[in-house]
């Protein structure tokens, strides 16, 4: 037998039986974002490698070791997007959309990171990524967090909690960084290999270490929030006070530094204890310097992204949502002429009932087989068309999910008869 081709590690198929949860999350996100005035946009999956190097930072895990980078036929170094923010900011600049304008935007789709795959961590994963550009905050910071809290409520997701922190301005962070480096150098012998490497390039990331042996050292390190500049402190206090006023519980986590370099001031994460090690379901923060860094006119920005796979896992933990039916109406046909006519009838019904899913039995089969397929399709109503019905110019309409008897309808009135039957039908 010919050898099968294996799927790529860390890249998942989403099967029809699993898609209902995806749709629930995507629909809820779209509705909540629309209600807050966010517009969808789409950007390429592939960008110049330099974009991510400049936006995310040379010394981040993402850029150092996780990017899917390749040289294309034209000799250009391109990269599959590891996240959405850099591409959206590039698009705003390329399309001349800044110039003092403000934008509330979102996009969704796959992202690619060559991480070690495990539950909740994949090499192709999906985000809903949200960006607000041109708002200095903190009002927008608060609104964005309120938006996410509303989304969890809409989805019935309860096991999430909010952590926030402020990274200050690049200047105050630089001053803090010096203090931190001094402290870490003094404890150089206790640092693991990863932290020693980070100490040189990006010492703040040492605070993000997941190594339990590093915990005590990190606990005792100088705290960023103690070194904030006045304006950042005020910004952060405004955020905390407003979250309290809105009744959104949060914890200030001074060790929350995030893995991407473009952040300044507010950073936040929604964490769950229900998914094991991969506990962040939604993370983001303010990136006031990013657009300038990419060559655009300096404009403040803030955003977040949520991991759809992780939200799907949270949603299905309480019981997977039922698979979506493929049909509302299933047409059962018997006999050669009726089968041929069935194709026309199905098209006519799709014209007349554009909101309904109309499935025609294809490939023949006796009544028993066809009704089994009708049942599996989830249809609430079957239309039965045999040679006898066709000769008389009628079709039978049979509710499938309750006991009401079957009725007959002249073919020209069939769409209306189906609507009536569907209106009284109960989906199981
Ligand atoms: P991030 O924290 O790298 O931020 O990713 C955001 C979310 O994507 C995470 O909280 C997690 O739910 C999900 N995620 C990340 N990596 C994986 C993975 N390997 N497998 C499954 N899910 C994953 C960003 O990407 C920023 N662009 C967010 C942002 C937007 N900040 C400002 N605007």
């Amino acid at each position: 037998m010919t050898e099968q081709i294996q799927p790529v590690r860390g890249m998942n198929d989403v099967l029809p039986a699993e898609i209902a949860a995806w749709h629930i999350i995507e629909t809820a996100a779209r509705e909540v974002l629309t209600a807050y005035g966010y517009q969808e946009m789409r950007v390429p999956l592939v960008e110049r490698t330099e974009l991510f190097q400049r936006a995310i930072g040379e010394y981040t895990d993402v850029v150092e070791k996780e990017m899917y980078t390749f040289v294309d036929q034209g000799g250009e170094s391109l990269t599959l997007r590891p996240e959405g923010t850099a591409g959206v900011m590039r698009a705003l600049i390329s399309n001349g959309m800044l110039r003092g304008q403000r934008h509330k935007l979102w996009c969704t789709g796959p992202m690619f990171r060559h991480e070690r795959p495990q539950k909740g961590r994949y090499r192709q994963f999906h985000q809903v990524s949200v960006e607000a550009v041109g708002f200095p905050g903190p009002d927008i910071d608060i609104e964005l967090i309120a938006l996410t809290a509303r989304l969890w409520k809409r989805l019935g997701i309860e096991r999430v909690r909010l952590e926030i922190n402020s990274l200050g301005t690049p200047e105050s962070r630089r001053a803090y960084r010096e203090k931190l480096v001094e402290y870490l150098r003094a404890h150089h012998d206790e640092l693991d290999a990863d932290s020693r490497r980070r100490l040189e390039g990006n010492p703040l990331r040492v605070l993000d270490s997941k190594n339990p042996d590093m915990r005590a050292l990190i606990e005792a390190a100088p705290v960023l929030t103690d070194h904030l500049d006045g304006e950042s402190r005020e910004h952060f206090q405004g955020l905390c006070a407003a979250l309290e006023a809105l009744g959104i519980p949060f914890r200030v986590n001074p060790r929350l530094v995030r893995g991407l370099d473009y952040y300044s001031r507010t950073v936040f994460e929604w964490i769950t204890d229900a998914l094991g090690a991969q506990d962040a379901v939604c993370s983001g923060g303010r990136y006031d310097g990013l657009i300038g860094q990419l060559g655009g006119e300096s404009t403040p920005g803030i955003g977040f992204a949520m991991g759809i796979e992780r939200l799907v896992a949270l949603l299905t933990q309480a019981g997977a949502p039922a698979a979506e039916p493929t049909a509302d109406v299933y047409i059962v046909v018997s006999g050669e002429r009726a089968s041929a006519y069935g194709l026309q009838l199905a098209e006519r019904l799709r014209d007349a009932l554009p909101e309904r899913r109309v499935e025609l039995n294809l490939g023949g089969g006796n009544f028993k087989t066809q009704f089994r397929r009708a049942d599996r399709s989830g249809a609430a109503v079957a239309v039965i068309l045999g040679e006898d019905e066709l000769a008389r110019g009628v079709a039978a309409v049979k509710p499938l999910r309750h006991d009401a008897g079957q009725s007959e309808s002249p073919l020209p009135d069939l769409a209306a008869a189906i609507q009536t039957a569907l209106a009284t039908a109960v989906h199981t």
Side-chain angles (χ1 to χ4, degrees):
M1 226 166 56
T2 316
E3 202 187 323
Q4 292 181 3
I5 295 175
Q6 297 305 310
V8 179
R9 196 160 117 82
M11 306 207 178
N12 300 316
D13 305 308
V14 181
L15 302 178
E18 301 156 351
I19 206 75
W22 286 70
H23 285 169
I24 290 170
I25 291 162
E26 287 162 356
T27 304
R30 179 185 299 271
E31 285 175 3
V32 170
L33 285 161
T34 304
Y36 279 78
Y38 284 76
Q39 295 178 296
E40 185 179 359
M41 72 180 280
R42 299 180 188 188
V43 291
L45 262 57
V46 177
E47 298 275 357
R48 288 173 199 273
T49 304
E50 191 194 350
L51 171 69
F52 302 116
Q53 288 168 334
R54 244 207 266 171
I56 297 172
E58 291 279 2
Y59 293 101
T60 56
D61 283 352
V62 173
V63 170
E64 268 186 347
K65 48 189 187 193
E66 295 171 0
M67 295 210 299
Y68 281 89
T69 296
F70 60 98
V71 177
D72 78 353
Q73 278 82 344
E76 262 185 294
S77 177
L78 303 178
T79 293
L80 295 186
R81 64 181 184 193
E83 58 102 53
T85 312
V88 171
M89 295 312 123
R90 198 268 313 134
L92 290 178
I93 299 167
S94 314
N95 292 285
M97 289 169 70
L98 292 166
R99 307 204 178 104
Q101 293 176 59
R102 314 199 297 180
H103 298 281
K104 300 204 307 194
L105 305 164
W106 67 277
C107 64
T108 184
M111 309 291 160
F112 303 85
R113 294 184 196 176
H114 198 274
E115 296 192 77
R116 204 162 43 77
Q118 53 174 261
K119 185 170 174 280
R121 188 166 71 193
Y122 308 107
R123 290 182 173 173
Q124 174 179 296
F125 60 97
H126 296 74
Q127 289 183 342
V128 172
S129 185
V130 179
E131 316 294 348
V133 165
F135 301 85
D139 47 4
I140 189 82
D141 310 26
I142 298 148
E143 195 185 76
L144 269 179
I145 291 174
L147 182 162
T148 49
R150 182 176 299 276
L151 183 60
W152 312 145
K153 211 160 149 195
R154 171 83 71 98
L155 291 169
I157 288 176
E158 283 170 356
R159 284 175 73 176
V160 285
R161 57 192 168 73
L162 174 65
E163 295 199 344
I164 61 173
N165 192 22
S166 177
L167 301 182
T169 57
E171 295 75 40
S172 67
R173 199 153 68 246
R174 217 166 291 133
Y176 166 71
R177 190 184 141 122
E178 275 167 30
K179 292 231 159 45
L180 183 65
V181 168
E182 208 174 289
Y183 169 83
L184 293 174
R185 288 233 168 91
H187 295 84
H188 199 264
D189 294 348
E190 298 158 59
L191 298 180
D192 62 10
D194 245 2
S195 301
R196 281 185 191 167
R197 208 167 33 79
R198 284 173 173 167
L199 174 60
E200 298 315 320
N202 190 353
L204 258 68
R205 292 281 291 148
V206 175
L207 301 177
D208 223 18
S209 167
K210 301 278 186 287
N211 182 353
D213 297 342
M214 295 279 300
R215 193 164 299 152
L217 189 75
I218 290 170
E219 286 297 322
V223 175
L224 179 61
T225 12
D226 294 342
H227 294 83
L228 286 185
D229 56 288
E231 256 182 65
S232 295
R233 190 183 302 279
E234 221 172 274
H235 192 111
F236 193 55
Q237 281 165 352
L239 171 67
C240 295
L243 287 176
E244 269 162 27
L246 284 176
I248 299 174
F250 63 92
R251 186 175 86 90
V252 176
N253 175 3
R255 315 277 168 211
L256 178 63
V257 293
R258 308 275 300 120
L260 315 166
D261 273 0
Y262 49 60
Y263 293 109
S264 56
R265 292 200 175 144
T266 310
V267 287
F268 65 95
E269 276 189 349
W270 288 92
I271 309 283
T272 181
D273 61 3
L275 296 181
Q278 302 310 313
D279 59 358
V281 293
C282 171
S283 0
R286 181 160 277 287
Y287 46 85
D288 293 339
L290 176 59
I291 294 174
Q293 219 170 291
L294 295 177
E297 96 189 34
S298 173
T299 312
I302 179 169
F304 65 83
M306 44 204 169
I308 303 187
E309 282 82 356
R310 293 183 191 176
L311 288 175
V312 165
L314 274 187
L315 206 68
T316 49
Q317 244 173 18
E324 288 163 2
T326 57
D328 298 306
V329 181
Y330 195 95
I331 306 175
V332 170
V333 281
S334 143
E336 217 168 284
R337 278 184 51 233
S339 297
Y341 183 73
L343 286 163
Q344 293 172 39
L345 181 67
E347 287 303 317
R348 281 224 322 271
L349 289 176
R350 291 179 183 124
D351 285 340
L353 306 169
E355 307 291 316
R356 301 296 192 177
R357 292 162 291 193
V358 176
E359 191 174 343
L360 170 67
N361 185 77
L362 298 175
N366 61 24
F367 269 129
K368 196 165 159 221
T369 308
Q370 295 198 38
F371 273 103
R372 195 168 348 106
R373 289 179 190 147
D375 188 46
R376 237 184 271 139
S377 76
V381 168
V383 168
I384 306 157
L385 185 71
E387 298 294 326
D388 168 54
E389 283 87 1
L390 188 58
R392 290 191 289 123
V394 299
V397 177
K398 182 178 163 58
L400 293 173
R401 310 288 159 189
H402 58 95
D403 288 338
Q406 150 177 345
S407 59
E408 249 178 32
S409 160
L411 288 173
D413 304 334
L414 187 56
I418 291 171
Q419 281 293 51
T420 311
L422 282 173
T424 51
V426 187
H427 267 288
T428 53

